[in-house]
Amino acid sequence: MRVITALISMLLVSLLLFPMMALAAVQPIQLFLNGKQLNAEVPPRIIKNNTVVPVRIIAESLGSEVKWEEKSRKVTVDKSGVSIQLFIDKAEALVNNKSFKLETSPTIVEGSTMLPLRFVSEQFGVKVTWDDLTRSVFMFQNEEEQPSAGNAEGEASTGKDNSSGDKQAEADKPSDTKQPEDSKNDDKSPAKPTPTPTPIPSKPEGTGQDKGSTGTNASEADKPSGKPVDKPEDKPAGKPESGSKDDQQTSGDNGKETKTTVRSISLEKDQFVIKTGGAVTKPSVKIESNPDRIVIDIPNGQLDPSLKLNEKGEGDIKENHDSVTQIRYLLFSKESSIVRIIIDLNKKVDFRSSTATVTSQLSWTLSAAKDRYKVVIDPGHGGKDTGAISLTKRREKDFVLSLGTKVYKLLEKEPRIQPYMTRDDDTFVELDGRTEFANDLKADLFVSVHGNSAGKESVEGIETYYYTEQSLEFAKLMHEKLLKATQFNDRKVKQNNFYVIKNTAMPSLLLELGFLTNKSDEAAMYSEEFQDRVAASIVAAIKQQLNID
């Protein structure tokens, strides 16, 4: 009898544990906007059959303005004449003062305000669909409705001044140029501007370039990007039906190409080449470990019929290469139209965007990973150039030297990294001296460290600047690490033609690590604990960029 009782008890425990185990195995929800994956600081979740997401995702992806009222616990989302008011834990919303019932109330999870995604998005004319196979939410926004640079940078959502404070040095300005009131005397001089700057090959410009030219308008030069893309599973959407309308359609009603067709994939010696047709695309590239592989995602893409798929919806290319075992390709999700290409490796490699630009072709250089990488840390200003002056009269040059030295000392502990500094004391180094130092070393990465300033004390937060296309993924990665370390306001990844990042041949960044003219930012920036935390995050980004475990 006791044996029977014990068996029944074990059976009941197993039945109780089974749904818990099944629940634990459920993969997280993924978000896509027009084929591009979005990264939420708090994972989306399903409440009463409705997906709720952090308000920040809505603000950034849809280019809306978000306001919070603490007293009434109200969130207001405004965009293009549509105003949505939602209340925490209340199943009612107002759209242009008209009342609507909600299936799921807004809530707060892990300190983030979570809003019902479908309700908010559809009020702004954004189509929302759910793919149960991959547990993914896909949002599709008309091209004319996509956010402008200003909105996409999230300036409206914070209510802050858009002045970045990163103007060029007074001594470098032409005599007929008026100094803006929120400019600071610093060394981030832009190179000679063009009306609409675009990324260029990473080789330095000629030395005759005018370092004293005025900066480009922020709305033209600062091209923000999204956060780095997370690593979803390589689960194909299934083999597409040959000749189906959805697979063959590549242009919109106006005849404009809307999809990128992957026509061929090849590895030619050390060059990995993807030949494309149709719309121009910007792929996402991730180098992963355990297992070692490279994952390339092409948004709004489709495979040419010549690239055959097996019954599992995946194709493969066998390669006779000492670092590559095989190349696989698949349509990650038919709904999102993401073409995924996976390069399976048998050892670690360096994978860099090729400097040569060829129409309808994406290319990278693949080489064996180095035993040791050279990284240059550039503390801005120094000597006669104090940089910005803080609210309490402290100098930017001292802050960046202290932080830069901490980064250098942490990098010294890494056996596969040889760090260098453009200055290790209070000396002044010319801009071309900084770039020549890095280029002569043939450094692998260059990171310039700065503090920001503005004419208004309310302006706060961090910015990460890049110039060349080869630096963009590094910029996204670095910015994500800095946001977590500082908990500062997110002023985005931006493109600008600052001299030190335009004239260095390697992936290069300029970091603005807070506003010295903001009381809260300044108090944190000069604390040892803050600097230690930020230095560690910079080192973590450098190691990840170099694929060092």
Side-chain angles (χ1 to χ4, degrees), residues 228 352 375 407 411 417 445 447 464 473-482 509 511 533-548:
R352 309 286 182 192
V375 176
V407 174
L411 289 174
I417 296 177
L445 297 176
V447 179
T464 300
E473 290 301 320
F474 185 28
K476 293 180 187 178
L477 170 62
M478 178 68 75
H479 195 71
E480 182 181 36
K481 301 286 188 188
L482 290 173
L509 304 180
L511 311 179
R533 194 168 67 245
V534 172
S537 71
I538 292 172
V539 170
I542 288 171
K543 289 176 62 179
Q544 189 170 334
Q545 173 68 14
L546 296 174
N547 196 28
I548 295 175

PDB file of all heavy atoms in Angstrom, residues 228 352 375 407 411 417 445 447 464 473-482 509 511 533-548:
ATOM      1  N   PRO A 228      22.206  47.336 -31.158  1.00  0.00           N
ATOM      2  CA  PRO A 228      22.644  46.091 -31.776  1.00  0.00           C
ATOM      3  C   PRO A 228      21.565  45.025 -31.728  1.00  0.00           C
ATOM      4  O   PRO A 228      20.793  44.931 -30.789  1.00  0.00           O
ATOM      5  CB  PRO A 228      23.849  45.681 -30.915  1.00  0.00           C
ATOM      6  CG  PRO A 228      24.309  46.957 -30.304  1.00  0.00           C
ATOM      7  CD  PRO A 228      23.085  47.789 -30.113  1.00  0.00           C
ATOM      8  N   ARG A 352      35.983  41.664 -41.213  1.00  0.00           N
ATOM      9  CA  ARG A 352      35.890  43.119 -41.361  1.00  0.00           C
ATOM     10  C   ARG A 352      35.233  43.491 -42.687  1.00  0.00           C
ATOM     11  O   ARG A 352      35.473  42.841 -43.711  1.00  0.00           O
ATOM     12  CB  ARG A 352      37.275  43.762 -41.330  1.00  0.00           C
ATOM     13  CG  ARG A 352      38.139  43.349 -40.150  1.00  0.00           C
ATOM     14  CD  ARG A 352      37.699  43.977 -38.868  1.00  0.00           C
ATOM     15  NE  ARG A 352      38.549  43.618 -37.757  1.00  0.00           N
ATOM     16  CZ  ARG A 352      38.259  43.858 -36.487  1.00  0.00           C
ATOM     17  NH1 ARG A 352      37.128  44.461 -36.178  1.00  0.00           N
ATOM     18  NH2 ARG A 352      39.084  43.485 -35.523  1.00  0.00           N
ATOM     19  N   VAL A 375      45.052  48.486 -29.443  1.00  0.00           N
ATOM     20  CA  VAL A 375      43.907  49.362 -29.178  1.00  0.00           C
ATOM     21  C   VAL A 375      44.421  50.705 -28.662  1.00  0.00           C
ATOM     22  O   VAL A 375      45.195  50.748 -27.696  1.00  0.00           O
ATOM     23  CB  VAL A 375      42.954  48.744 -28.141  1.00  0.00           C
ATOM     24  CG1 VAL A 375      41.812  49.711 -27.814  1.00  0.00           C
ATOM     25  CG2 VAL A 375      42.398  47.420 -28.641  1.00  0.00           C
ATOM     26  N   VAL A 407      40.729  52.762 -18.324  1.00  0.00           N
ATOM     27  CA  VAL A 407      40.508  51.844 -19.443  1.00  0.00           C
ATOM     28  C   VAL A 407      41.832  51.190 -19.840  1.00  0.00           C
ATOM     29  O   VAL A 407      41.910  49.968 -20.046  1.00  0.00           O
ATOM     30  CB  VAL A 407      39.892  52.591 -20.640  1.00  0.00           C
ATOM     31  CG1 VAL A 407      39.797  51.663 -21.856  1.00  0.00           C
ATOM     32  CG2 VAL A 407      38.514  53.136 -20.292  1.00  0.00           C
ATOM     33  N   LEU A 411      42.827  47.194 -19.859  1.00  0.00           N
ATOM     34  CA  LEU A 411      43.239  46.536 -21.092  1.00  0.00           C
ATOM     35  C   LEU A 411      44.608  45.870 -20.940  1.00  0.00           C
ATOM     36  O   LEU A 411      44.887  44.847 -21.571  1.00  0.00           O
ATOM     37  CB  LEU A 411      43.273  47.538 -22.247  1.00  0.00           C
ATOM     38  CG  LEU A 411      41.918  48.044 -22.750  1.00  0.00           C
ATOM     39  CD1 LEU A 411      42.113  49.142 -23.800  1.00  0.00           C
ATOM     40  CD2 LEU A 411      41.087  46.906 -23.329  1.00  0.00           C
ATOM     41  N   ILE A 417      45.467  41.816 -25.818  1.00  0.00           N
ATOM     42  CA  ILE A 417      45.335  43.225 -26.190  1.00  0.00           C
ATOM     43  C   ILE A 417      46.566  44.001 -25.750  1.00  0.00           C
ATOM     44  O   ILE A 417      47.011  43.883 -24.605  1.00  0.00           O
ATOM     45  CB  ILE A 417      44.074  43.847 -25.559  1.00  0.00           C
ATOM     46  CG1 ILE A 417      42.815  43.180 -26.106  1.00  0.00           C
ATOM     47  CG2 ILE A 417      44.019  45.352 -25.826  1.00  0.00           C
ATOM     48  CD1 ILE A 417      41.516  43.685 -25.491  1.00  0.00           C
ATOM     49  N   LEU A 445      41.700  49.138 -33.173  1.00  0.00           N
ATOM     50  CA  LEU A 445      40.567  49.954 -32.732  1.00  0.00           C
ATOM     51  C   LEU A 445      41.076  51.274 -32.165  1.00  0.00           C
ATOM     52  O   LEU A 445      42.196  51.347 -31.625  1.00  0.00           O
ATOM     53  CB  LEU A 445      39.746  49.234 -31.648  1.00  0.00           C
ATOM     54  CG  LEU A 445      39.044  47.928 -32.014  1.00  0.00           C
ATOM     55  CD1 LEU A 445      38.374  47.335 -30.784  1.00  0.00           C
ATOM     56  CD2 LEU A 445      38.028  48.129 -33.130  1.00  0.00           C
ATOM     57  N   VAL A 447      39.517  54.557 -29.717  1.00  0.00           N
ATOM     58  CA  VAL A 447      38.395  55.060 -28.912  1.00  0.00           C
ATOM     59  C   VAL A 447      38.795  56.395 -28.292  1.00  0.00           C
ATOM     60  O   VAL A 447      39.728  56.465 -27.488  1.00  0.00           O
ATOM     61  CB  VAL A 447      38.006  54.063 -27.805  1.00  0.00           C
ATOM     62  CG1 VAL A 447      36.855  54.629 -26.969  1.00  0.00           C
ATOM     63  CG2 VAL A 447      37.612  52.714 -28.406  1.00  0.00           C
ATOM     64  N   THR A 464      27.272  58.309 -28.690  1.00  0.00           N
ATOM     65  CA  THR A 464      28.387  57.570 -29.277  1.00  0.00           C
ATOM     66  C   THR A 464      28.473  57.940 -30.753  1.00  0.00           C
ATOM     67  O   THR A 464      27.494  57.771 -31.485  1.00  0.00           O
ATOM     68  CB  THR A 464      28.197  56.052 -29.126  1.00  0.00           C
ATOM     69  OG1 THR A 464      28.105  55.723 -27.735  1.00  0.00           O
ATOM     70  CG2 THR A 464      29.349  55.291 -29.753  1.00  0.00           C
ATOM     71  N   GLU A 473      28.847  49.015 -36.395  1.00  0.00           N
ATOM     72  CA  GLU A 473      28.493  47.929 -35.476  1.00  0.00           C
ATOM     73  C   GLU A 473      29.223  48.081 -34.146  1.00  0.00           C
ATOM     74  O   GLU A 473      28.658  47.782 -33.080  1.00  0.00           O
ATOM     75  CB  GLU A 473      28.816  46.569 -36.116  1.00  0.00           C
ATOM     76  CG  GLU A 473      27.908  46.196 -37.272  1.00  0.00           C
ATOM     77  CD  GLU A 473      26.436  46.142 -36.878  1.00  0.00           C
ATOM     78  OE1 GLU A 473      26.130  45.647 -35.768  1.00  0.00           O
ATOM     79  OE2 GLU A 473      25.604  46.593 -37.664  1.00  0.00           O
ATOM     80  N   PHE A 474      30.472  48.535 -34.189  1.00  0.00           N
ATOM     81  CA  PHE A 474      31.230  48.800 -32.969  1.00  0.00           C
ATOM     82  C   PHE A 474      30.541  49.886 -32.150  1.00  0.00           C
ATOM     83  O   PHE A 474      30.454  49.807 -30.913  1.00  0.00           O
ATOM     84  CB  PHE A 474      32.666  49.194 -33.331  1.00  0.00           C
ATOM     85  CG  PHE A 474      33.600  49.385 -32.162  1.00  0.00           C
ATOM     86  CD1 PHE A 474      33.414  48.708 -30.972  1.00  0.00           C
ATOM     87  CD2 PHE A 474      34.695  50.243 -32.282  1.00  0.00           C
ATOM     88  CE1 PHE A 474      34.292  48.887 -29.895  1.00  0.00           C
ATOM     89  CE2 PHE A 474      35.574  50.420 -31.219  1.00  0.00           C
ATOM     90  CZ  PHE A 474      35.361  49.751 -30.024  1.00  0.00           C
ATOM     91  N   ALA A 475      30.039  50.912 -32.834  1.00  0.00           N
ATOM     92  CA  ALA A 475      29.347  52.010 -32.150  1.00  0.00           C
ATOM     93  C   ALA A 475      28.086  51.519 -31.446  1.00  0.00           C
ATOM     94  O   ALA A 475      27.807  51.878 -30.296  1.00  0.00           O
ATOM     95  CB  ALA A 475      29.005  53.114 -33.148  1.00  0.00           C
ATOM     96  N   LYS A 476      27.300  50.674 -32.130  1.00  0.00           N
ATOM     97  CA  LYS A 476      26.081  50.134 -31.517  1.00  0.00           C
ATOM     98  C   LYS A 476      26.417  49.316 -30.278  1.00  0.00           C
ATOM     99  O   LYS A 476      25.767  49.442 -29.234  1.00  0.00           O
ATOM    100  CB  LYS A 476      25.348  49.254 -32.530  1.00  0.00           C
ATOM    101  CG  LYS A 476      24.774  49.970 -33.730  1.00  0.00           C
ATOM    102  CD  LYS A 476      24.087  48.935 -34.612  1.00  0.00           C
ATOM    103  CE  LYS A 476      23.628  49.510 -35.926  1.00  0.00           C
ATOM    104  NZ  LYS A 476      23.014  48.466 -36.775  1.00  0.00           N
ATOM    105  N   LEU A 477      27.420  48.483 -30.419  1.00  0.00           N
ATOM    106  CA  LEU A 477      27.836  47.614 -29.324  1.00  0.00           C
ATOM    107  C   LEU A 477      28.311  48.440 -28.131  1.00  0.00           C
ATOM    108  O   LEU A 477      27.915  48.199 -26.979  1.00  0.00           O
ATOM    109  CB  LEU A 477      28.945  46.687 -29.823  1.00  0.00           C
ATOM    110  CG  LEU A 477      29.698  45.842 -28.810  1.00  0.00           C
ATOM    111  CD1 LEU A 477      28.742  44.886 -28.118  1.00  0.00           C
ATOM    112  CD2 LEU A 477      30.810  45.074 -29.507  1.00  0.00           C
ATOM    113  N   MET A 478      29.176  49.414 -28.381  1.00  0.00           N
ATOM    114  CA  MET A 478      29.714  50.264 -27.316  1.00  0.00           C
ATOM    115  C   MET A 478      28.593  51.038 -26.628  1.00  0.00           C
ATOM    116  O   MET A 478      28.546  51.125 -25.385  1.00  0.00           O
ATOM    117  CB  MET A 478      30.737  51.239 -27.910  1.00  0.00           C
ATOM    118  CG  MET A 478      31.335  52.210 -26.898  1.00  0.00           C
ATOM    119  SD  MET A 478      32.394  51.411 -25.661  1.00  0.00           S
ATOM    120  CE  MET A 478      33.864  51.079 -26.666  1.00  0.00           C
ATOM    121  N   HIS A 479      27.679  51.581 -27.410  1.00  0.00           N
ATOM    122  CA  HIS A 479      26.610  52.408 -26.845  1.00  0.00           C
ATOM    123  C   HIS A 479      25.720  51.580 -25.919  1.00  0.00           C
ATOM    124  O   HIS A 479      25.300  52.051 -24.850  1.00  0.00           O
ATOM    125  CB  HIS A 479      25.783  53.022 -27.976  1.00  0.00           C
ATOM    126  CG  HIS A 479      24.907  54.150 -27.541  1.00  0.00           C
ATOM    127  ND1 HIS A 479      25.397  55.379 -27.187  1.00  0.00           N
ATOM    128  CD2 HIS A 479      23.555  54.234 -27.389  1.00  0.00           C
ATOM    129  CE1 HIS A 479      24.406  56.178 -26.850  1.00  0.00           C
ATOM    130  NE2 HIS A 479      23.278  55.493 -26.953  1.00  0.00           N
ATOM    131  N   GLU A 480      25.427  50.363 -26.317  1.00  0.00           N
ATOM    132  CA  GLU A 480      24.598  49.494 -25.490  1.00  0.00           C
ATOM    133  C   GLU A 480      25.276  49.235 -24.147  1.00  0.00           C
ATOM    134  O   GLU A 480      24.616  49.269 -23.093  1.00  0.00           O
ATOM    135  CB  GLU A 480      24.349  48.173 -26.216  1.00  0.00           C
ATOM    136  CG  GLU A 480      23.446  47.228 -25.453  1.00  0.00           C
ATOM    137  CD  GLU A 480      23.238  45.914 -26.186  1.00  0.00           C
ATOM    138  OE1 GLU A 480      24.189  45.438 -26.818  1.00  0.00           O
ATOM    139  OE2 GLU A 480      22.129  45.369 -26.108  1.00  0.00           O
ATOM    140  N   LYS A 481      26.579  48.972 -24.152  1.00  0.00           N
ATOM    141  CA  LYS A 481      27.309  48.731 -22.908  1.00  0.00           C
ATOM    142  C   LYS A 481      27.314  49.982 -22.028  1.00  0.00           C
ATOM    143  O   LYS A 481      27.148  49.898 -20.801  1.00  0.00           O
ATOM    144  CB  LYS A 481      28.756  48.326 -23.207  1.00  0.00           C
ATOM    145  CG  LYS A 481      28.927  47.084 -24.054  1.00  0.00           C
ATOM    146  CD  LYS A 481      28.641  45.824 -23.302  1.00  0.00           C
ATOM    147  CE  LYS A 481      29.012  44.598 -24.127  1.00  0.00           C
ATOM    148  NZ  LYS A 481      28.579  43.332 -23.497  1.00  0.00           N
ATOM    149  N   LEU A 482      27.510  51.142 -22.649  1.00  0.00           N
ATOM    150  CA  LEU A 482      27.573  52.392 -21.885  1.00  0.00           C
ATOM    151  C   LEU A 482      26.235  52.743 -21.254  1.00  0.00           C
ATOM    152  O   LEU A 482      26.175  53.254 -20.128  1.00  0.00           O
ATOM    153  CB  LEU A 482      28.042  53.533 -22.791  1.00  0.00           C
ATOM    154  CG  LEU A 482      29.510  53.477 -23.238  1.00  0.00           C
ATOM    155  CD1 LEU A 482      29.801  54.564 -24.260  1.00  0.00           C
ATOM    156  CD2 LEU A 482      30.448  53.614 -22.037  1.00  0.00           C
ATOM    157  N   LEU A 509      35.730  55.342 -32.676  1.00  0.00           N
ATOM    158  CA  LEU A 509      34.570  55.939 -32.018  1.00  0.00           C
ATOM    159  C   LEU A 509      34.988  57.161 -31.219  1.00  0.00           C
ATOM    160  O   LEU A 509      36.122  57.260 -30.741  1.00  0.00           O
ATOM    161  CB  LEU A 509      33.918  54.935 -31.055  1.00  0.00           C
ATOM    162  CG  LEU A 509      33.479  53.587 -31.612  1.00  0.00           C
ATOM    163  CD1 LEU A 509      32.871  52.750 -30.491  1.00  0.00           C
ATOM    164  CD2 LEU A 509      32.488  53.760 -32.754  1.00  0.00           C
ATOM    165  N   LEU A 511      33.377  58.997 -27.855  1.00  0.00           N
ATOM    166  CA  LEU A 511      32.373  58.802 -26.815  1.00  0.00           C
ATOM    167  C   LEU A 511      32.144  60.091 -26.036  1.00  0.00           C
ATOM    168  O   LEU A 511      33.104  60.702 -25.543  1.00  0.00           O
ATOM    169  CB  LEU A 511      32.828  57.703 -25.840  1.00  0.00           C
ATOM    170  CG  LEU A 511      33.326  56.392 -26.460  1.00  0.00           C
ATOM    171  CD1 LEU A 511      33.744  55.430 -25.354  1.00  0.00           C
ATOM    172  CD2 LEU A 511      32.269  55.773 -27.357  1.00  0.00           C
ATOM    173  N   ARG A 533      33.134  51.744 -13.332  1.00  0.00           N
ATOM    174  CA  ARG A 533      32.062  51.011 -14.013  1.00  0.00           C
ATOM    175  C   ARG A 533      32.068  51.294 -15.519  1.00  0.00           C
ATOM    176  O   ARG A 533      31.921  50.374 -16.338  1.00  0.00           O
ATOM    177  CB  ARG A 533      30.716  51.400 -13.396  1.00  0.00           C
ATOM    178  CG  ARG A 533      29.581  50.494 -13.772  1.00  0.00           C
ATOM    179  CD  ARG A 533      28.349  50.766 -12.908  1.00  0.00           C
ATOM    180  NE  ARG A 533      27.750  52.068 -13.152  1.00  0.00           N
ATOM    181  CZ  ARG A 533      27.694  53.042 -12.254  1.00  0.00           C
ATOM    182  NH1 ARG A 533      28.211  52.866 -11.049  1.00  0.00           N
ATOM    183  NH2 ARG A 533      27.128  54.193 -12.556  1.00  0.00           N
ATOM    184  N   VAL A 534      32.248  52.550 -15.882  1.00  0.00           N
ATOM    185  CA  VAL A 534      32.253  52.921 -17.302  1.00  0.00           C
ATOM    186  C   VAL A 534      33.495  52.363 -17.994  1.00  0.00           C
ATOM    187  O   VAL A 534      33.418  51.870 -19.126  1.00  0.00           O
ATOM    188  CB  VAL A 534      32.177  54.458 -17.462  1.00  0.00           C
ATOM    189  CG1 VAL A 534      32.379  54.853 -18.918  1.00  0.00           C
ATOM    190  CG2 VAL A 534      30.834  54.967 -16.960  1.00  0.00           C
ATOM    191  N   ALA A 535      34.638  52.425 -17.320  1.00  0.00           N
ATOM    192  CA  ALA A 535      35.871  51.876 -17.909  1.00  0.00           C
ATOM    193  C   ALA A 535      35.700  50.393 -18.188  1.00  0.00           C
ATOM    194  O   ALA A 535      36.109  49.897 -19.250  1.00  0.00           O
ATOM    195  CB  ALA A 535      37.051  52.115 -16.969  1.00  0.00           C
ATOM    196  N   ALA A 536      35.084  49.673 -17.259  1.00  0.00           N
ATOM    197  CA  ALA A 536      34.861  48.235 -17.455  1.00  0.00           C
ATOM    198  C   ALA A 536      33.930  47.979 -18.632  1.00  0.00           C
ATOM    199  O   ALA A 536      34.122  47.018 -19.394  1.00  0.00           O
ATOM    200  CB  ALA A 536      34.286  47.624 -16.182  1.00  0.00           C
ATOM    201  N   SER A 537      32.919  48.836 -18.815  1.00  0.00           N
ATOM    202  CA  SER A 537      31.990  48.645 -19.936  1.00  0.00           C
ATOM    203  C   SER A 537      32.669  48.925 -21.271  1.00  0.00           C
ATOM    204  O   SER A 537      32.387  48.253 -22.268  1.00  0.00           O
ATOM    205  CB  SER A 537      30.762  49.552 -19.762  1.00  0.00           C
ATOM    206  OG  SER A 537      31.074  50.916 -19.975  1.00  0.00           O
ATOM    207  N   ILE A 538      33.569  49.906 -21.312  1.00  0.00           N
ATOM    208  CA  ILE A 538      34.316  50.197 -22.541  1.00  0.00           C
ATOM    209  C   ILE A 538      35.210  49.010 -22.906  1.00  0.00           C
ATOM    210  O   ILE A 538      35.286  48.596 -24.064  1.00  0.00           O
ATOM    211  CB  ILE A 538      35.142  51.494 -22.380  1.00  0.00           C
ATOM    212  CG1 ILE A 538      34.209  52.708 -22.276  1.00  0.00           C
ATOM    213  CG2 ILE A 538      36.118  51.668 -23.549  1.00  0.00           C
ATOM    214  CD1 ILE A 538      34.930  54.001 -21.934  1.00  0.00           C
ATOM    215  N   VAL A 539      35.865  48.450 -21.906  1.00  0.00           N
ATOM    216  CA  VAL A 539      36.732  47.281 -22.145  1.00  0.00           C
ATOM    217  C   VAL A 539      35.898  46.096 -22.616  1.00  0.00           C
ATOM    218  O   VAL A 539      36.297  45.359 -23.538  1.00  0.00           O
ATOM    219  CB  VAL A 539      37.521  46.932 -20.871  1.00  0.00           C
ATOM    220  CG1 VAL A 539      38.234  45.589 -21.029  1.00  0.00           C
ATOM    221  CG2 VAL A 539      38.525  48.033 -20.558  1.00  0.00           C
ATOM    222  N   ALA A 540      34.722  45.903 -22.021  1.00  0.00           N
ATOM    223  CA  ALA A 540      33.857  44.795 -22.434  1.00  0.00           C
ATOM    224  C   ALA A 540      33.437  44.941 -23.891  1.00  0.00           C
ATOM    225  O   ALA A 540      33.403  43.953 -24.639  1.00  0.00           O
ATOM    226  CB  ALA A 540      32.622  44.740 -21.534  1.00  0.00           C
ATOM    227  N   ALA A 541      33.123  46.160 -24.319  1.00  0.00           N
ATOM    228  CA  ALA A 541      32.747  46.398 -25.719  1.00  0.00           C
ATOM    229  C   ALA A 541      33.926  46.150 -26.649  1.00  0.00           C
ATOM    230  O   ALA A 541      33.767  45.579 -27.735  1.00  0.00           O
ATOM    231  CB  ALA A 541      32.223  47.823 -25.884  1.00  0.00           C
ATOM    232  N   ILE A 542      35.111  46.577 -26.245  1.00  0.00           N
ATOM    233  CA  ILE A 542      36.309  46.358 -27.061  1.00  0.00           C
ATOM    234  C   ILE A 542      36.568  44.862 -27.222  1.00  0.00           C
ATOM    235  O   ILE A 542      36.837  44.372 -28.328  1.00  0.00           O
ATOM    236  CB  ILE A 542      37.524  47.059 -26.417  1.00  0.00           C
ATOM    237  CG1 ILE A 542      37.391  48.581 -26.574  1.00  0.00           C
ATOM    238  CG2 ILE A 542      38.830  46.570 -27.041  1.00  0.00           C
ATOM    239  CD1 ILE A 542      38.421  49.374 -25.781  1.00  0.00           C
ATOM    240  N   LYS A 543      36.477  44.117 -26.140  1.00  0.00           N
ATOM    241  CA  LYS A 543      36.709  42.664 -26.201  1.00  0.00           C
ATOM    242  C   LYS A 543      35.679  41.975 -27.091  1.00  0.00           C
ATOM    243  O   LYS A 543      36.016  41.085 -27.881  1.00  0.00           O
ATOM    244  CB  LYS A 543      36.669  42.072 -24.801  1.00  0.00           C
ATOM    245  CG  LYS A 543      37.863  42.444 -23.938  1.00  0.00           C
ATOM    246  CD  LYS A 543      37.729  41.904 -22.517  1.00  0.00           C
ATOM    247  CE  LYS A 543      37.681  40.403 -22.479  1.00  0.00           C
ATOM    248  NZ  LYS A 543      37.570  39.874 -21.100  1.00  0.00           N
ATOM    249  N   GLN A 544      34.421  42.396 -26.976  1.00  0.00           N
ATOM    250  CA  GLN A 544      33.383  41.778 -27.813  1.00  0.00           C
ATOM    251  C   GLN A 544      33.592  42.120 -29.276  1.00  0.00           C
ATOM    252  O   GLN A 544      33.402  41.271 -30.157  1.00  0.00           O
ATOM    253  CB  GLN A 544      31.999  42.221 -27.343  1.00  0.00           C
ATOM    254  CG  GLN A 544      30.867  41.446 -28.015  1.00  0.00           C
ATOM    255  CD  GLN A 544      29.529  41.716 -27.372  1.00  0.00           C
ATOM    256  OE1 GLN A 544      29.440  42.071 -26.197  1.00  0.00           O
ATOM    257  NE2 GLN A 544      28.463  41.560 -28.139  1.00  0.00           N
ATOM    258  N   GLN A 545      33.995  43.360 -29.559  1.00  0.00           N
ATOM    259  CA  GLN A 545      34.254  43.750 -30.944  1.00  0.00           C
ATOM    260  C   GLN A 545      35.390  42.929 -31.544  1.00  0.00           C
ATOM    261  O   GLN A 545      35.363  42.569 -32.726  1.00  0.00           O
ATOM    262  CB  GLN A 545      34.597  45.245 -31.003  1.00  0.00           C
ATOM    263  CG  GLN A 545      35.046  45.758 -32.363  1.00  0.00           C
ATOM    264  CD  GLN A 545      33.940  45.763 -33.403  1.00  0.00           C
ATOM    265  OE1 GLN A 545      32.763  45.628 -33.073  1.00  0.00           O
ATOM    266  NE2 GLN A 545      34.295  45.942 -34.663  1.00  0.00           N
ATOM    267  N   LEU A 546      36.379  42.605 -30.725  1.00  0.00           N
ATOM    268  CA  LEU A 546      37.536  41.827 -31.188  1.00  0.00           C
ATOM    269  C   LEU A 546      37.299  40.325 -31.070  1.00  0.00           C
ATOM    270  O   LEU A 546      38.193  39.531 -31.355  1.00  0.00           O
ATOM    271  CB  LEU A 546      38.785  42.231 -30.392  1.00  0.00           C
ATOM    272  CG  LEU A 546      39.259  43.682 -30.572  1.00  0.00           C
ATOM    273  CD1 LEU A 546      40.396  43.981 -29.620  1.00  0.00           C
ATOM    274  CD2 LEU A 546      39.656  43.962 -32.012  1.00  0.00           C
ATOM    275  N   ASN A 547      36.105  39.959 -30.600  1.00  0.00           N
ATOM    276  CA  ASN A 547      35.740  38.544 -30.441  1.00  0.00           C
ATOM    277  C   ASN A 547      36.691  37.831 -29.486  1.00  0.00           C
ATOM    278  O   ASN A 547      37.154  36.721 -29.736  1.00  0.00           O
ATOM    279  CB  ASN A 547      35.731  37.837 -31.798  1.00  0.00           C
ATOM    280  CG  ASN A 547      34.988  36.509 -31.752  1.00  0.00           C
ATOM    281  OD1 ASN A 547      34.071  36.330 -30.947  1.00  0.00           O
ATOM    282  ND2 ASN A 547      35.376  35.577 -32.597  1.00  0.00           N
ATOM    283  N   ILE A 548      36.984  38.498 -28.373  1.00  0.00           N
ATOM    284  CA  ILE A 548      37.842  37.934 -27.328  1.00  0.00           C
ATOM    285  C   ILE A 548      36.953  37.521 -26.160  1.00  0.00           C
ATOM    286  O   ILE A 548      36.205  38.333 -25.624  1.00  0.00           O
ATOM    287  CB  ILE A 548      38.890  38.964 -26.854  1.00  0.00           C
ATOM    288  CG1 ILE A 548      39.848  39.302 -27.999  1.00  0.00           C
ATOM    289  CG2 ILE A 548      39.658  38.436 -25.651  1.00  0.00           C
ATOM    290  CD1 ILE A 548      40.841  40.385 -27.661  1.00  0.00           C
TER     291      ILE A 548
END
